[in-house]
Amino acid sequence: MAKATVVKKNTSGTIAQNKRARHDYFIEEKFEAGLSLQGWEVKSLRAGRMTLSESYITFKNGEAFLFGAQIQPLLSASTHIVPEATRTRKLLLNRRELDKLLGAVNQKGYSCVPLVAYWKGPRAKLEIALVKGKQLHDKRATEKDRDWQRDKARIMHK
């Protein structure tokens, strides 16, 4: 009898986070988008095998696409498909949200990046944000403020 492979299942609702985005950008506005996925990708997401670290949102023909996100296929993926880990995936948004994102990216100089992938019921959702880039001095100020808040909480706790 063959040994059963144990796949570690993600118990919380969060699949993946893009911690780098909070460090590199000022987050202006957040949106929730659905993901258009294939069957093997959903299985991999349930196992928590997604990376958002170097991904971003692109717009083409009035539609939004997630580019650069990696979903690593499971070893037990089907033999009749060829899984592509960094495939460009379509985002499902309302027309109003798409128009707002497109206008901000094209006219106001914003960028659009994914922040968190999570489960909402049986569906995989992606929290995306309109962002502006931080300069080096902004990053230093944010880090200094975070350190001060930590020290203040430590002092108040005593």
Side-chain angles (χ1 to χ4, degrees):
M1 187 180 237
K3 267 191 173 178
T5 57
V6 177
V7 177
K8 189 171 97 174
K9 198 167 189 177
N10 193 359
T11 56
S12 70
T14 304
I15 300 167
Q17 288 186 339
N18 188 356
K19 294 179 182 177
R20 194 82 191 146
R22 297 190 191 279
H23 181 263
D24 289 341
Y25 302 106
F26 289 115
I27 297 172
E28 301 291 328
E29 193 171 355
K30 296 178 184 178
F31 297 91
E32 180 182 73
L35 281 166
S36 179
L37 299 170
Q38 296 177 349
W40 69 268
E41 292 173 325
V42 176
K43 286 184 175 185
S44 293
L45 288 183
R46 292 231 180 261
R49 299 177 60 119
M50 183 179 197
T51 306
L52 291 174
S53 60
E54 295 181 7
S55 59
Y56 55 94
I57 311 296
T58 58
F59 297 96
K60 191 191 310 186
N61 300 331
E63 295 179 330
F65 294 93
L66 177 64
F67 187 80
Q70 289 192 345
I71 298 178
Q72 293 300 322
L74 296 174
L75 295 175
S76 62
S78 179
T79 56
H80 67 277
I81 60 162
V82 179
E84 186 181 340
T86 57
R87 178 177 79 84
T88 302
R89 294 162 182 92
K90 185 177 178 181
L91 295 180
L92 307 172
L93 290 157
N94 291 333
R95 176 54 51 195
R96 276 191 318 268
E97 293 172 336
L98 270 171
D99 291 341
K100 190 170 189 175
L101 286 169
L102 264 170
V105 168
N106 290 338
Q107 296 170 358
K108 298 178 185 172
Y110 286 98
S111 296
C112 194
V113 295
L115 298 177
V116 180
Y118 58 94
W119 293 107
K120 189 172 186 181
R123 290 174 172 66
K125 298 288 184 175
L126 191 68
E127 184 176 90
I128 61 176
L130 279 174
V131 296
K132 277 211 178 222
K134 283 186 182 178
Q135 300 294 324
L136 183 60
H137 59 85
D138 293 329
K139 293 178 189 176
R140 287 180 184 153
T142 303
E143 190 173 326
K144 193 175 185 181
D145 186 47
R146 189 180 321 121
D147 290 342
W148 166 242
Q149 293 297 330
R150 190 180 310 121
D151 290 343
K152 188 168 69 171
R154 201 174 288 143
I155 292 169
M156 296 297 283
H157 189 265
K158 287 183 181 180

